[in-house]
Structures are given as C-alpha cells and as structure tokens.
Amino acid sequence: MSYILSFFNFIQDLGATVMMPIIICIFGIALGTEKGKSLRAGLTVGVGFIGLNLVIGAMSSNLGPAVQLMVDRFGLSLSVIDVGWPAAAAIAFASTVGMVIIPVCLLVNIIMLLTNTTQTVDVDIWDYWHFAFTGSLVAIVTGSQAIGLLAAVLNMVIIMVIADYTAPGVEETLGLPGVSLPHGFSGAYAPVAIVINKIIDLIPGVRDIDINMEEAQEKFGVFGEPIIIGSVLGMIIGAVAGYDISQVLQLGITMGAVLVLIPKMASLLMEGLLPISDAASAFISDRFSNRGKMYIGLDSAVGVGHPLTLSVSLILVPLTLAIAVLLPGNKVLPFADLAVIPWMFVLITPVVKGNGFRALVNGIIVLAAGLLISTNLAPLMTEAAVNADYALPSNATMISSICDGANPLTWVIVRLNDFGWIGIGIVAAVAVVLALVNRRRILLEAEELKTAQQA
C-alpha cells in the first residue's frame, strides 16, 4: 500500500501540466488514435493548460494587491481569514482521506462507467482534492476516517451526475464539445442556479430581463467586446482600491487581456482534445451500444473564459467585500479566493443560458450564502489545518476559504453527518438515486442515438 500511495503522490506532485499530456496521449493510443496524433494532442493540451495557468496567475496576482488595498482602505476587519484554495487543497491532501483519494476516486469512476451511471471519464485527478476536503471535514465531525472516505466517494458520485447533466450546456454555451466538468466546486452551484432560475421564471417582468453578452457586443460594437469590458471593470476595481492613475490603467489593461487571452488558451486546449474526443465517441459507438455519448472530464478552468463568466466575476469582486461587511452573521474576510469567483460561474453560465442579469442575481445569492457557509465551516477547516500541520497566518485564530469552504454541497454533506449514521445514510440514498436516474437517462439517450443511426 505504501508503494501505491507513493506512486500516486508522485503523480500528484508532477501537476496537471505534466501528467495531463501523458494521460491524454496514452488515452488516445488506447482508443486507436495514431501515435503521432496522440502525442501532438497531449502536448497541445499541456500547452493549453500552461497558457491558462499563466493568464489566471496574472489575474490573481493583479487582483490580489487591489483587494488587499480595498480591505485596508475601508478598514475591513473580520475574524476568519480566507486563506485561498491552495491552502484548502494542501489541507485536504494532507488528511488521511486525502492520502488515498486518487486511487479510490479512479476506482469509483471505473465502476460508474461500467455500470452506466456516468458518461464522464474524469481525468482531472488533481481536483479530487475537493472530495477529500469534504471527507476530511466529515471525518472530524464523525470521528471516523471510514465515514469520511465514504462521504468523499458519495460527493464524487453526485458531482459526476451533475457533470453529465450539465455537459450539453457546456458544449453549447461554453463551446467545449465532448467535455464535461466534474469539478467539486463548480459543480455544486449548478443545482443552486437551476433552482434560482426556476424562481426567476415565476416572477412577471423580472423573468423577461435578459442581458446577453453577444447582443451587447452587437448593440454597442467595440464597446461591447470583452477587451473593453475587462479593461473598464479592471479600472473600476483599481479606482475603488485607491490606485493612482498609472496603476488604474495597468490593472485595466491586464483585466482586458485576461478576458481576451483565457478563451484563446481554452481554444488551444480544445484543439488538442478534439481528436481524442472524436476517438472516444467512435470507440464507444463501435464497441458499446448502450453507453451513449462519452465525455472527457476536465478542470473547470477550461470554461472560465466565457465573457459573461469573467465580466460578472469582476463586478462581484468589490460587491463581495461589501456583502461580507454588511451580511449579518458573517465572520469571513474574503481575500485570497476572490480570484476564484469565476469558477463559481462556470456551470451557472450554461444554466442561465448566457443571461447576464440572472448570472448576477445568482452570484449575489451564492456568495452571500457562501460567506455564511464558510463561517459555519471555519472551526472544522481550522481543526483540519491543525491536524495537517498547516501553519496558520499570524494573528489568525480561524481560517476558511471560498473554495471549498463556501461550497454548498460540502456544507450539506458535512452538516448531515452531525446526525451520525442517519446523515451519511441520507447522503448515500441521494447519491444512489441520482446515479440510478442518470443510468436511466444514459440508456435512453443511447437507445435514441442507436435509432437515429439506423434511420
């Protein structure tokens, strides 16, 4: 077992930019793609990920100082520190559940594929930390590592079903054919967005409001383009932060570049994935008549480039700080994870079908609720950090994060386990029912596809 764990720790340490090309290349060859094409596809995917990471890094490194100045300028003081997703991931992987999460989740994915309860081949193994995070908190609540691991598995099953369900929207709205996003953080907001969307549909007048980015670009011409929108929002954030004119302009240009470059990097990544996706579809079609369409599960970073996702996210950066101060019961000071707000919207954007008004309404609601969730989970996350020997920031008594500390699905799973075996039983029942409903949908889709091919 120690050798197996060491092997998966080695894979984890290599990172996505190294292992993703290897996995894609091997996957392509296994599906019958030519070796040269598979190699090129894998390397292209790797280049796409590096490009995405560089642009996202530029966004984070430029937004971070602006946010810090906002905090200092307006004298914001809240007792729980947002330490960001890298710290949350490190804490999750350092837990007992995290040590075994990669091989366990790979096994779960294989079982789900064999039983037709998912259409997604989840190669995004680094983001299994989201499931480990949930499991590590449940282990603290229950005092049982076994229940914690079970909770992590059930979390994955639920997210895999959500990924399948949202995959057509990801293809249509985000322009990612053959891709699903089984991301533990992004996926949790899709059901919330569906509910909020249904409620908006019931309100006369409000349901007719539609702010569409493509229509805005057509209406306003160059002033509706992502580069202009990003630059303007960046300058507004810089002005609120108290930057001088040169810094305001620099932040504006950087944010404009982010809105332009992220979609281009995602397109490069898709260039590598398309031949593998086509090969996977052909492989399944030739050998399995009851599998329907198959998707490659990727990090939701590939979907953050939609103009609506990035524009609404930038608007919500200063709004989130205001909400944090005004929201009764909140103790979390948003900081490190404000740059991950776009990840919240990756699957909200397809649900609202690109409607900017609905996306903004969703954003305000989920961020307000998320701050209360992260406040509630802060004691558990702090205890998990101490158990993992994570060094708390100076003068911090408790820590949390937006990703995954504000995750509504994580919160529901953790808090249900306050009721012991009844709680984990409820989570298990929900996961099994969702998996079976998904299986029925997959088989029906496969039958319809077979009938269409015969016709």
Side-chain angles (χ1 to χ4, degrees):
M1 177 60 71
S2 62
Y3 289 114
I4 294 174
L5 293 178
S6 297
F7 172 73
F8 283 106
N9 284 335
F10 173 73
I11 291 176
Q12 176 188 324
D13 292 340
L14 286 176
T17 55
V18 175
M19 282 306 300
M20 187 64 75
I22 296 174
I23 291 174
I24 293 297
C25 181
I26 294 173
F27 192 42
I29 293 172
L31 293 172
T33 307
E34 294 178 9
K35 293 182 178 63
K37 288 185 177 180
S38 296
L39 177 61
R40 185 182 186 282
L43 292 175
T44 304
V45 168
V47 171
F49 265 108
I50 290 174
L52 274 174
N53 289 337
L54 288 173
V55 180
I56 290 169
M59 178 178 69
S60 301
S61 61
N62 281 274
L63 273 181
V67 170
Q68 182 64 64
L69 282 175
M70 286 184 200
V71 171
D72 296 338
R73 187 181 187 193
F74 295 102
L76 305 184
S77 179
L78 295 165
S79 59
V80 180
I81 304 300
D82 167 21
V83 293
W85 74 264
I91 292 167
F93 273 131
S95 68
T96 302
V97 175
M99 290 175 62
V100 297
I101 197 66
I102 291 178
V104 168
C105 286
L106 286 172
L107 179 61
V108 170
N109 192 188
I110 292 170
I111 292 172
M112 292 187 73
L113 287 168
L114 292 175
T115 56
N116 273 346
T117 49
T118 189
Q119 296 166 284
T120 295
V121 180
D122 188 2
V123 300
D124 182 28
I125 62 176
W126 298 270
D127 277 322
Y128 290 172
W129 77 263
H130 296 283
F131 312 132
F133 183 86
T134 300
S136 65
L137 299 192
V138 169
I140 292 172
V141 169
T142 62
S144 169
Q145 297 297 334
I147 296 178
L149 183 58
L150 176 59
V153 168
L154 296 174
N155 189 359
M156 180 184 184
V157 171
I158 293 170
I159 289 295
M160 295 294 284
V161 173
I162 292 173
D164 288 347
Y165 183 81
T166 55
V170 168
E171 289 190 311
E172 180 180 353
T173 305
L174 303 184
L176 299 173
V179 169
S180 67
L181 305 176
H183 193 273
F185 180 61
S186 302
Y189 294 97
V192 177
I194 291 171
V195 172
I196 295 174
N197 217 32
K198 294 292 185 184
I199 293 173
I200 293 176
D201 283 336
L202 299 175
I203 305 175
V206 175
R207 65 190 174 202
D208 299 322
I209 301 174
D210 186 0
I211 303 174
N212 187 283
M213 292 298 295
E214 293 181 0
E215 292 178 0
Q217 186 170 336
E218 292 177 2
K219 182 176 181 180
F220 297 106
V222 67
F223 295 101
E225 293 182 5
I227 190 170
I228 302 295
I229 294 171
S231 298
V232 170
L233 291 175
M235 286 188 284
I236 291 173
I237 291 172
V240 174
Y243 278 177
D244 60 34
I245 185 63
S246 64
Q247 292 172 313
V248 167
L249 292 173
Q250 288 171 1
L251 184 60
I253 296 298
T254 301
M255 292 302 104
V258 165
L259 262 67
V260 171
L261 292 175
I262 284 183
K264 291 185 182 299
M265 293 302 102
S267 296
L268 181 61
L269 188 145
M270 285 309 304
E271 180 185 329
L273 281 177
L274 279 175
I276 307 302
S277 177
D278 292 341
S281 298
F283 182 88
I284 296 299
S285 177
D286 291 342
R287 292 167 176 79
F288 304 98
S289 59
N290 63 336
R291 296 299 171 99
K293 185 170 183 177
M294 298 296 292
Y295 299 98
I296 299 175
L298 296 177
D299 186 334
S300 55
V302 302
V304 300
H306 193 280
L308 174 64
T309 300
L310 290 173
S311 300
V312 173
S313 299
L314 288 176
I315 292 170
L316 284 169
V317 169
L319 278 180
T320 301
L321 291 170
I323 292 170
V325 174
L326 300 174
L327 183 65
N330 173 58
K331 296 181 181 179
V332 175
L333 175 61
F335 173 55
D337 261 351
L338 284 173
V340 307
I341 290 177
W343 274 254
M344 281 185 169
F345 283 92
V346 172
L347 291 177
I348 291 177
T349 297
V351 170
V352 301
K353 300 186 184 302
N355 186 323
F357 170 74
R358 296 192 178 204
L360 187 59
V361 170
N362 270 275
I364 293 172
I365 292 173
V366 298
L367 281 167
L371 289 171
L372 296 178
I373 288 171
S374 59
T375 298
N376 183 263
L377 293 180
L380 291 175
M381 182 169 173
T382 304
E383 185 174 345
V386 171
N387 293 342
D389 295 324
Y390 174 80
L392 299 182
S394 59
N395 301 322
T397 56
M398 282 198 292
I399 62 172
S400 192
S401 64
I402 294 176
C403 176
D404 259 6
N407 188 319
L409 179 56
T410 293
W411 181 78
V412 169
I413 293 174
V414 170
R415 286 310 167 199
L416 278 174
N417 278 277
D418 286 334
F419 302 99
W421 283 103
I422 295 176
I424 196 66
I426 293 173
V427 178
V430 170
V432 169
V433 169
L434 287 175
L436 292 176
V437 170
N438 199 37
R439 171 183 164 83
R440 182 179 179 182
R441 181 192 61 79
I442 291 170
L443 295 178
L444 180 60
E445 179 184 300
E447 187 62 31
E448 291 174 349
L449 182 62
K450 183 179 179 180
T451 302
Q453 289 174 342
Q454 291 175 344

